[in-house]
Amino acid sequence: MFFRAISLSICMVLLMGALIGCGTPASDHRDETPKEAETVVDKNKDDVTITFWVPGADEANDTYFTNVAKEFETLNPRIKVETTVLPPSGHDINKKLATAMLSDDYPDVFSSYLGIFRARSPKGEFYDMTEYINKWSDKEDIFEGALNMGTYKGAFYGLAFFPAPEIGVYRKDYFEEAGLEPEQPPTTWEELAEYARKLVQRDNKGIVTRAGLDIPLMNTAIFVRTMMKQNGSPVVDEEKGEPSFTDEGAVETLDFIAKLAQEKVNIPFDYQKKVEIPFVKGNSAMSYLQTSQIAQMIVNDPSMKEKIGFIPVMERKKKVSFCGYRLFTIGAKTQYPDEAWRLIEFMMTKEQMMERSKQLNIPVVRKSLKEEFITLNPELHKTILEYVEYGKGAEAVPWVSSLTKKLDIAFQEAYNGKKSSVQALKDAEENLRKDLEKKK
Amino acid sequence: MKIINTSCFREKLNRMIVKRQKKSIYSDNIGYLLIAPFYIFLVLFILLPILMNFFLSFTNYDMRSMDFIGLRNYINLFDDEYFLISLKNTFVYTFFRLLLAMVLGLCVALALKDKIFGLKFYRTSFFVPHVTSMVAASMIWLWMFEPSHGIINQALGLFGIKGKLWLFDVRYAMGCIVTVSLWKVIGYNMVIYIAGLQSIPNYLYEAATIDGANALKKFRHITWPLLRPVTFFLFVTGLIECFKVFELVMILTNGGPMNATTTIVHQIYDRAFEDYYIGYGAAQAIVLLMIVATITIINFKYGNQGHELDVG
Amino acid sequence: MKNKTFKRMLAVMMLVLSIFMLFPYFLMLITSVKTMGDIQSPSFTFIPREVVFLNYIEAMSRGDWPRYFGNSIYVTVITVLASLMLNSITGYAFARLRFKGRDVLFIIALIGLMVPRQVTMLPLFIVLKNFPLVGGNSILGQGGHGFINSYAGMILPYVAGSFGVFLFRQFYLNFPRSLDDAARIDGLGRVKTFIYIYAPLSKPIFATLAALKTTQTWTEFTWPLIITSKDHMKTVQLALTMFRNETEIQWNLLMAATTVITLPLIIVFLCAQKYFIQGIVTSGIKG
């Protein structure tokens, strides 16, 4: 009996081994290539495979990036590009990068969100491209704001190619309904609040059915930070690498937003989850949206083209807008920096950039393409470029995500009346400092 | 009116459901061999990573550098306001979700045990939430909870009740999460309870019927005691699952508003994958393991597993 | 008479509850045939303004869905079969055999359930990457890619499943002792007792665990995401991310695809259900 048991167990293990063994894909081309190439001294004579990771979006985006790699391959016959379309969520991308780092599988070229770039460039995950960029003849043609996005401590670790500003939009038809002049968007905070109060609609039980202004109740931080900066607060002292949002400007800002939200001029929503943005559904009169969202609204309902107007960049003490970016980066451990840079260079050519504007509505970052970009859609694109020009992205510190979380909670505390704005911000800053202290 | 002879019925049952002899019949060393294949997989792919995690909890690993810092992560934990809130939230969630899921799961299983009209349809519809991808399902729930035009508030409006802010309200957010997770888990508890109910021999019920026991009595003296192993199983696994709640929180509220719904694993995720305090996240995980393991071991020691009962 | 009325009432009650349970799913179905413009209109409508079944075709023609389905089916079938075999025999050993340290070993097995996946993700990744002698690794686990980017990498961590062992153990605890006595009289050893008596009698548990394990493996998202980075290795859950981007989601396509990928699970459940109805012990021992 004992022998039978042994043989049974062994059989089971073997069977499982066999089943799983079959599962290993037979043709795993990439795994081997770089390893072999590693030993070859003269790389120029050999074919090279570089990996290219790009966050997925809609079909047009995915096809563009897959095809562009093929185009690049035909121009550079000895370089093969293996494109991987990542899931779009920042959380998922972070997980992929973390494990890629551990397994030396980091992509050679990676199109990064600004937030991910800010958090990861201090960790030494990206290749220092300063030399390439300084030698690059087109460097002068790139918007300075965009170029600066890719720096960390004076060196270039990324090259911004995709500005994603949050643009102020309003509904002209709703303005008219509320007796406001449809061609005159608000230009100051006071006007923004006043218009919001006039535009809001509630049902007989007091539930807001049409928001005057979209103020998110969750993930409010981007909204809050941008307005704090408009009000002269630094939010983060980037040189010292310390939080700095307890000044008068910051407190006044938080107070302003929380009070406005308490007046119930908005429909609660979560800014990060793109599930239910009241403006997109036609349930709000004013909002801040990304260009792709505006484009999608017009696709869904062509009459929106006439109905949506644009709010110019606000100014209180400073003229600031929020503008996210995507950047091309090179993995720090890459064996083929030259080839990786060549791919980036190809992506940054005027032709490809214009192609992206036309196909994917991605704003340009080259001064020489400004005019051509504007002619594609004068009203919208002029506004976009203004937002890009005054755009500030995520702060250049590795702890951006902590900052975002603390500011969110500060807003929620002020909004729910649990703490005064001053106290909420003080506690948030103290909490953040304590966290940073612990990490050391 | 029928008079039930209770004592006779009890006696008869007692003869059928006997206490097992504590003493084992004989020792089976072949058991080691039978569990070996399973244990190989367990050790390699589950216990080993946990052990590595245990090691990480004494370091300040942040994906770049790693220094041994002793117990500092654990000491810092008790000073971490968010972690303490998450502990409290997790306990609240676990209490309500575990209790309700077990009671409702059992009720549904009892109702759907015997043939009634449309049985297959009912069973399937209770199970469908469990198999639906959470990404899509939670989006639907987000729509339903939406404060201004969401279906739940509109339905309440029909009865003249003022709508709530649900996920955006500190008072209701946790309740919403418990509701969604109940929606998802009832079918699962139902399936396991049905399997348990099926394993109770019918002749016990027949004998009880002959003695004139009513449904309640049958439940108390036959169903409930013989379902003990299943109940115990659902309690222990449910408890562990509840303590690990994460995905729902992440999708529905991301821990908000004001940390009202942040849970232990949500904090771990935040720390380890958003802030890169991997060592710190590991320490939180070890504390979680300690809590759950303690409760589980107490359960095994003092809880009634029901395996001292024997039928037939 | 009374019984019949009761059953009718019960059926009605269950019908109402079923409708509640199915309601979100029903909304999903409605959304899957709407246009985006319809979905993004100010208020929700139950009846689509325009029914677009084309959404299903559009959703399924993006990417290589046959391949994704193939991957998912392959991974799920092997995981479920392997873990059913392992779990049943292990559960039997823990429930019915007496050996030293049995209960301690069992509790240790349960530890596997107690640590959230999110925590063990990175260490597990390292284990799979440095697994000796696979994927070009040396005996010390260096040099190659181990189980990264392979089906085995998706399957191995899910094979053990302390959950299944626990489930089997609890059910076998409830089996009549007379089964063992009968087997002993017939001269069957422990293993044979399991194969010829226990296993055939535990179809309902096998069916239950098969349904649950299939669901778990099929709906797994994070682990396949981490362990694979190639399009031809994608599972259906990973493929779902095609319908969303950073700023918006194509609801109709996402819901259509979700409906399609949920269907296999519902079919598995319906098949497994047939076995739930059979009694375990009654058929085997008394009479």
Side-chain angles (χ1 to χ4, degrees), chain C residues 14-69:
Chain C
M14 283 297 127
L15 184 67
V16 175
L17 281 176
S18 296
I19 290 171
F20 267 108
M21 296 299 279
L22 280 182
F23 188 67
Y25 200 74
F26 170 67
L27 291 185
M28 227 170 89
L29 285 180
I30 294 178
T31 313
S32 72
V33 292
K34 278 184 171 179
T35 60
M36 267 316 274
D38 199 355
I39 293 166
Q40 297 289 28
S41 65
S43 57
F44 183 84
T45 48
F46 278 99
I47 301 148
R49 261 174 241 150
E50 191 188 337
V51 179
V52 202
F53 287 109
L54 218 64
N55 286 340
Y56 281 83
I57 295 169
E58 204 189 326
M60 286 297 122
S61 59
R62 190 179 295 179
D64 188 1
W65 278 93
R67 175 89 208 184
Y68 308 148
F69 266 100

Side-chain angles (χ1 to χ4, degrees), chain C residues 27 40 55 65 68-69 74 84 90 121 126 159 166 177 190 249 262 267 280:
Chain C
L27 291 185
Q40 297 289 28
N55 286 340
W65 278 93
Y68 308 148
F69 266 100
Y74 184 81
L84 279 184
T90 315
M121 218 159 58
I126 297 172
V159 166
F166 193 9
R177 283 277 174 185
R190 286 310 202 182
I249 300 165
T262 310
I267 293 168
I280 300 172

Side-chain angles (χ1 to χ4, degrees), chain A residues 354 358 368-377 381:
Chain A
M354 224 34 229
K358 281 177 193 155
S368 57
L369 294 176
K370 225 169 137 177
E371 296 309 315
E372 199 183 343
F373 179 66
I374 289 175
T375 49
L376 288 178
N377 184 348
H381 286 187

Side-chain angles (χ1 to χ4, degrees), chain A residues 1 4-5 8 12 15-16 18-25 27-32 35 53 56-59 62 82-93 95-96 98-100 102-105 113 164 174 272-277 280-283 290 292-297 300-301 326, chain C residues 36-37 39-44 58 61-63 74 78 81-83 85-86 89 121-123 125-126 129 135-136 143-145 147-153 155-156 159 188-192 195 221-222 224-234 238 241-251:
Chain A
M1 187 194 80
R4 288 228 181 90
L8 183 82
M12 257 165 68
L15 178 64
M16 229 145 16
L19 281 170
I20 287 161
C22 300
T24 321
S27 59
D28 216 344
H29 9 267
R30 194 195 97 80
D31 287 3
E32 312 306 330
K35 292 278 165 237
W53 285 12
D58 52 0
E59 198 173 14
D62 299 0
E82 210 183 80
T83 313
T84 301
V85 178
L86 300 172
S89 127
H91 297 297
D92 293 338
I93 294 177
K95 279 182 229 153
K96 283 294 298 180
T99 44
L102 289 175
S103 67
D104 290 334
D105 237 349
Y113 297 148
Y174 294 168
Q272 279 290 305
K273 269 170 234 131
K274 312 295 176 183
V275 177
E276 193 87 359
I277 298 173
V280 173
K281 294 197 112 184
N283 288 329
Q290 297 226 340
S292 55
Q293 289 167 322
I294 301 171
Q296 189 61 45
M297 276 184 82
N300 291 345
D301 179 1
R326 283 191 209 176
Chain C
M36 267 316 274
I39 293 166
Q40 297 289 28
S41 65
S43 57
F44 183 84
E58 204 189 326
S61 59
R62 190 179 295 179
Y74 184 81
I78 293 187
L81 285 184
S83 67
M85 285 198 308
L86 278 185
I89 195 141
M121 218 159 58
L122 291 184
F125 187 84
I126 297 172
K129 199 222 155 206
H145 280 254
F147 284 119
I148 308 299
N149 258 323
S150 71
Y151 291 112
I155 294 167
L156 288 172
V159 166
L188 290 178
R190 286 310 202 182
V191 178
K192 274 199 171 163
I195 296 175
F221 173 77
T222 312
L225 166 77
I226 286 172
I227 201 86
T228 68
S229 38
K230 299 200 172 128
D231 190 64
H232 70 263
M233 296 291 292
K234 263 189 193 165
L238 292 182
T241 59
M242 282 190 302
F243 304 111
R244 49 194 308 196
N245 66 28
E246 210 197 352
T247 53
E248 68 231 299
I249 300 165
Q250 279 165 304
W251 291 110

